[in-house]
Each structure stands twice: as C-alpha cells, then as structure tokens.
Amino acid sequence: MEVRDRSQFEIMDETRQRIREGGVSVWLKADLPLLMKRVLKRSDRPLLKSEDPEAVMRRLMEQRYPVYAGADVTVDSRDVQHSQMVNDVIKALARWD
C-alpha cells in the first residue's frame, strides 16, 4: 500500500518558493519514536488510522524527509518543553544568519 498526499506536496512546493523569496525555512526534525509518541496521542491523523501506523509513518518519513531536508535550518526535535525547542530554534537561526 502506498500512501501519498499529492495535493499536500503541490502546496508544499508553492509554500517553499514563497518562503525562499522572503523568509527562512526551519525543519524541526524528529525521529520515528518521538513522532509516534506524539501522533498516537491524537485521533485526528487519518493517514495513520491503519493496522500498522508505524509503517505508514516510516513511509511518510521516506517520502517527506528529503523534501524537508531542503530547509534553510534544521533543528533536531526532542521530547522537551516547547520553550526549550523555541530556544533551540532561536540559537540555530542566530548561527544561520
């Protein structure tokens, strides 16, 4: 089974172009265990409503991470308070500039 959300990728292309023209893109990169911990808390993830949501997430990561890797700045996401991640992003942006 292949999971693809082509309309989302088309929107992403347009959005990435707009960001390039006047902003900075930041990817909060998370590993599979952290993503699963986060998404399984919610019931509004239709693509993950399957017998094997982890396999679906792996496929989504394989498809999307190469696209996300084009971000100007990448920050490794961690299981910490939001304020700590905000600080990590601010530090990464300061190094990028």
Side-chain angles (χ1 to χ4, degrees), residues 37-93:
K37 179 180 178 181
R38 290 178 179 168
V39 300
L40 291 178
K41 291 179 186 178
R42 301 175 59 175
S43 62
D44 62 341
R45 301 287 183 163
L47 291 177
L48 298 178
K49 290 184 179 181
S50 76
E51 288 185 29
D52 190 354
E54 189 169 307
V56 173
M57 180 62 77
R58 257 191 234 101
R59 282 193 297 274
L60 291 171
M61 291 170 72
E62 289 170 7
Q63 292 170 359
R64 295 177 180 182
Y65 274 30
V67 175
Y68 299 159
D72 297 313
V73 176
T74 300
V75 177
D76 288 323
S77 188
R78 300 175 289 134
D79 193 10
V80 297
Q81 292 183 351
H82 288 95
S83 60
Q84 181 59 52
M85 286 308 307
V86 170
N87 288 334
D88 290 354
V89 170
I90 291 169
K91 289 175 187 175
L93 287 170

Side-chain angles (χ1 to χ4, degrees), residues 4-15 64:
R4 275 218 163 130
D5 186 350
R6 290 187 185 270
S7 61
Q8 182 69 22
F9 280 109
E10 292 168 5
I11 292 168
M12 287 173 50
D13 285 340
E14 182 180 322
T15 301
R64 295 177 180 182

